[in-house]
């Protein structure tokens, strides 16, 4: 009888733990959707970094290939942006990815 009671308590504890984990996953998904609505560029960058770092542990060869593709793409598009839009980039500089000073409310 003692084992049956212990087993029932464990089942209830695991059911509560499962409910808490599901609530956390739903909360994180909603936070990701909210973040994407507010700052899509930063959210996509976060997801990209998360994916690439996940590849580093799971598939090192795929990680090296992904970093190489990212570097080549950055070189190609970075050069194209600088060469075709020097006048435009000086008139309207791109918003930095990380802002060190808070924006004014005005």
């Amino acid at each position: 009888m003692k084992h049956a009671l212990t087993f029932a308590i464990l089942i209830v504890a695991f059911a509560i733990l499962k409910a808490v984990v599901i609530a956390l996953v739903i909360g994180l998904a909603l936070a990701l959707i909210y973040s994407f609505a507010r700052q899509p560029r930063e959210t996509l960058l976060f997801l990209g970094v998360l994916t690439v770092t996940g590849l580093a542990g799971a598939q090192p060869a795929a990680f090296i290939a992904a970093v190489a593709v990212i570097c080549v793409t950055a070189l190609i598009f970075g050069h194209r942006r600088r060469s075709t839009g020097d006048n435009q980039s000086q008139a309207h500089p791109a918003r930095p990815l990380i802002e060190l000073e808070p924006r004014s409310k005005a």
Side-chain angles (χ1 to χ4, degrees), residues 77-100:
F77 286 108
H79 176 70
R80 184 180 297 169
R81 183 184 312 156
R82 271 187 256 120
S83 64
T84 60
D86 277 338
N87 296 333
Q88 291 178 352
S89 65
Q90 291 175 357
H92 300 289
R95 193 175 103 214
L97 205 53
I98 299 173
E99 294 182 3
L100 299 177

Side-chain angles (χ1 to χ4, degrees), residues 4-75:
L5 183 61
T6 305
F7 184 66
I9 290 173
L10 280 175
I11 289 174
V12 171
F14 281 129
I16 292 171
L17 182 66
K18 182 179 177 181
V20 168
V21 168
I22 289 172
L24 283 173
V25 168
I26 290 171
L28 288 174
L30 290 174
L32 188 64
I33 291 169
Y34 176 76
S35 173
F36 187 74
R38 299 272 301 162
Q39 297 174 331
R41 178 179 175 204
E42 288 82 1
T43 304
L44 288 175
L45 180 68
F46 169 73
L47 290 175
V49 168
L50 194 65
T51 302
V52 170
T53 54
L55 275 176
Q59 307 253 342
F63 170 72
I64 293 169
V67 169
V69 168
I70 290 170
C71 290
V72 168
T73 305
L75 288 174

